[in-house]
Amino acid sequence: MHRVVQGIASDLLGRIDRLGGLNAPHLILGKILAQAYDTAAYKIAADDLLGTHKVDILFHALGAGVVMHDEKRIDALMVETKAGRKAITGDIFIDCSGDGDLAAWAGARYEVGDNEGSMLYPSMMFRLNGVDPDKAGEAWRTIPALMEKAEAAGRHRFPRKAAIVRPQRSPIEWRVNFTQLARADGRAINGLEPDDLTRGELEGRRQAVDAFNFLRTVAGFENSYIVDLPPQLGIRETRRVIGGYMLSGEDVLGCASFDDSIGVNGWPMESHVAGDVIFKFPPIPQSRGFNELPYRMLIPEGLDNLMVAGRCASMTHDGQSAARVSGACFAMGEAAGTAAALALDGNALPRELAGDKLQDRLKQQGAFLGRDQAVPEGV
Ligand SMILES: Cc1cc2nc3c(=O)[nH]c(=O)nc-3n(C[C@H](O)[C@H](O)[C@H](O)COP(=O)(O)OP(=O)(O)OC[C@H]3O[C@@H](n4cnc5c(N)ncnc54)[C@H](O)[C@@H]3O)c2cc1C
C-alpha cells in the first residue's frame, strides 16, 4: 500500500490521528484506498497546523471584489466583514476559493462545466448516529440492491445511483452520500448563482430526509438519527481557471508525467452526471495508477501575482472530475504556498520561478512529486 499524496497532507493526517480521528483506509471499487476522518478532529488539527506555521488567520470575511494595480497585477482583495469592508493587500495572491472568485474578478479566463451547460452535480451529505454496528455489518455492500428493490416496489425514489454509506471512526456513526441536486431544467445546480444555491440547499436537506427514511428500513439503522448536516451544499465544480496547462481526463487515465510536477493525483475520473456517478480508472494494476500535476496548472494566464490551487485550478472538465478531490488539492495548495514564498524571496513572478528550485523545496518538505522519486511505502 502506498500513500502518494504526502507533504503537508501527512502532517495534517498525523495530527488528526493523534486526536483519534482517522479511520483505517478502505478499498474503493477494488482499486484505490480512501482515507476517511472525523470532521471535528480535522478542524482542530487544521487550526493547530496553521498555528504552528504562524499563519495570520481571518475567518468571517467574505471575499467580495478586487482592486487592480493594472490589468496584470492585483493590489488588494476586498472582503466584507462584520466590522465593514476591508482591503487585504499582498504581493502574491493564491485563489483557493474553489470557485475561482478572485481570479474571475481579476479578469482571468476560465471555463465552467462541460460546455453543454452542465457541471458536475452537487450533493448534500450527512452523518447518522445511533447505528447498531453489529446488525449493520457491511451494509455498504447490500444497500445498492436494497435501493433497487425499494425503487422497483415503488416505496422510494432516489435522485442518483452509486450511493455511498460508510462507517466513521466510531462505527455507531455513518456518513451518507446519497443525494444529487438539479435545477428544474434537470441541469446541475449552479454553485455561482445564489438563487440556485438556496434552492439546492433546501432541496438537499429534503433529499437527506428521504434518504434517511429509506435507511431506517435497513437492518442496524432502525434507531439511527441525523446527527449532522453540512453548513452548506457540497459543490463539485464551478469555474476552472485557464492556466499554462489544463490537466485533462487523458492525463489522468494515462498516468501522465510532467517535467514541472509539483505533486500527484491518485483519484480516478469521477463524473457526477444526471442520475449517476461514473468512475473511470487508469488501468490498474498494469499502470502506476496516479498522474503528476504540473506547476503550470497553478498559474493563470495574463496575471502576474495570482496563483490558483484546488478544484478551480487549470483543468478540463474531465481532468477536474478527478483532481478536484482533496488529495490533489493538498498537493496543489502546498505547492502554491511554497512557490509564492520562493518567488517573494527571489523577487520573481510565480511564473518565472525555476522549476527545480520549487521541486527541491517541496521534496525537502516531504512531498511526493512522482518523477524519479521512489513511491512512498505505507499509508
Ligand atoms: C458531496 C461531496 C463529496 C466529496 N467527497 C470527497 C471524498 O470523499 N474525498 C475527497 O478527497 N474529496 C471529496 N470531495 C471533493 C473535495 O471535497 C473538494 O473538491 C475539495 O475539498 C476542494 O478543495 P478546495 O480547497 O479547492 O475548495 P473548498 O474545500 O471548497 O474550499 C474553498 C474554501 O473557500 C471558501 N470561499 C469560497 N469563496 C469565498 C469567498 N468569496 N470569500 C471567502 N471565502 C470563500 C469556502 O467557504 C471554502 O472554505 C467531495 C466533494 C463533494 C461536494
Side-chain angles (χ1 to χ4, degrees):
M1 291 193 286
H2 308 276
R3 175 144 56 78
V4 292
V5 176
Q6 297 274 348
I8 211 156
S10 305
D11 187 346
L12 183 65
L13 290 177
R15 288 169 195 267
I16 299 174
D17 200 17
R18 289 195 285 283
L19 291 165
L22 272 196
N23 287 35
H26 61 280
L27 195 61
I28 303 268
L29 300 171
K31 293 189 194 275
I32 186 168
L33 287 167
Q35 172 72 74
Y37 51 81
D38 175 74
T39 52
Y42 185 108
K43 290 176 198 175
I44 295 165
D47 289 347
D48 282 350
L49 178 65
L50 295 181
T52 307
H53 291 278
K54 300 195 168 45
V55 176
D56 280 335
I57 300 172
L58 179 66
F59 290 146
H60 302 281
L62 183 69
V66 70
V67 178
M68 300 297 291
H69 182 77
D70 55 41
E71 63 180 20
K72 289 182 147 199
R73 196 171 170 82
I74 298 170
D75 265 347
L77 167 71
M78 300 305 297
V79 294
E80 298 290 349
T81 76
K82 282 280 192 190
R85 188 168 302 172
K86 293 183 184 299
I88 299 179
T89 56
D91 290 322
I92 294 181
F93 293 80
I94 305 173
D95 185 339
C96 292
S97 64
D99 298 318
D101 284 356
L102 176 59
W105 297 328
R109 285 208 304 137
Y110 59 84
E111 292 182 352
V112 179
D114 61 0
N115 296 325
E116 286 168 23
S118 202
M119 294 166 244
L120 299 181
Y121 283 75
S123 297
M124 172 73 75
M125 288 183 67
F126 59 96
R127 283 182 290 135
L128 292 176
N129 209 336
V131 177
D132 178 336
D134 294 331
K135 273 175 83 182
E138 297 192 343
W140 61 87
R141 295 188 197 284
T142 49
I143 282 175
L146 293 175
M147 286 170 70
E148 271 180 37
K149 219 167 133 185
E151 215 159 35
R155 289 195 302 273
H156 292 275
R157 277 188 60 76
F158 300 102
R160 68 174 237 211
K161 296 182 193 144
I164 298 171
V165 189
R166 282 274 182 170
Q168 294 286 86
R169 172 72 190 257
S170 163
I172 61 169
E173 181 184 306
W174 287 50
R175 64 182 174 283
V176 184
N177 191 343
F178 240 74
T179 65
Q180 181 174 90
L181 282 314
R183 297 155 60 132
D185 65 5
R187 291 177 176 175
I189 285 285
N190 181 345
L192 299 172
E193 294 288 343
D195 286 340
D196 264 28
L197 284 167
T198 305
R199 278 195 299 271
E201 212 149 293
L202 293 167
E203 170 64 10
R205 286 195 275 271
R206 202 196 56 71
Q207 286 188 12
V209 172
D210 272 359
F212 172 56
N213 285 336
F214 161 73
L215 284 168
R216 275 202 301 191
T217 67
V218 176
F221 290 78
E222 299 89 340
N223 297 316
S224 66
Y225 60 94
I226 297 179
V227 66
D228 199 17
L229 286 157
Q232 61 185 51
L233 183 62
I235 299 295
R236 294 191 168 83
E237 181 190 18
T238 52
R239 300 186 190 99
R240 292 174 283 98
V241 176
I242 299 179
Y245 185 86
M246 294 181 84
L247 188 84
S248 68
E250 293 81 55
D251 292 333
V252 173
L253 298 181
C255 302
S257 290
F258 298 97
D259 288 344
D260 58 342
S261 172
I262 46 84
V264 304
N265 163 59
W267 198 249
M269 283 171 57
E270 182 195 328
S271 300
H272 287 251
V273 296
D276 209 350
V277 186
I278 297 168
F279 286 86
K280 283 189 197 155
F281 282 84
I284 292 173
Q286 297 85 343
S287 71
R288 64 181 179 174
F290 61 84
N291 64 277
E292 295 169 10
L293 302 164
Y295 179 50
R296 287 160 290 161
M297 286 173 66
L298 313 181
I299 310 291
E301 284 179 340
L303 285 146
D304 282 347
N305 66 339
L306 177 68
M307 306 175 78
V308 282
R311 69 172 168 84
C312 53
S314 181
M315 305 179 251
T316 66
H317 175 67
D318 285 345
Q320 199 265 9
S321 78
R324 70 186 167 81
V325 298
S326 43
C329 289
F330 277 123
M332 288 188 249
E334 178 167 9
T338 306
L342 288 173
L344 289 173
D345 276 352
N347 205 17
L349 298 178
R351 81 164 57 81
E352 295 167 349
L353 201 63
D356 50 353
K357 205 169 164 189
L358 174 59
Q359 289 174 330
D360 288 347
R361 179 66 66 87
L362 288 170
K363 285 187 208 166
Q364 279 164 19
Q365 291 169 188
F368 174 65
L369 314 185
R371 315 296 304 148
D372 52 357
Q373 274 176 285
V375 180
E377 285 295 333
V379 290

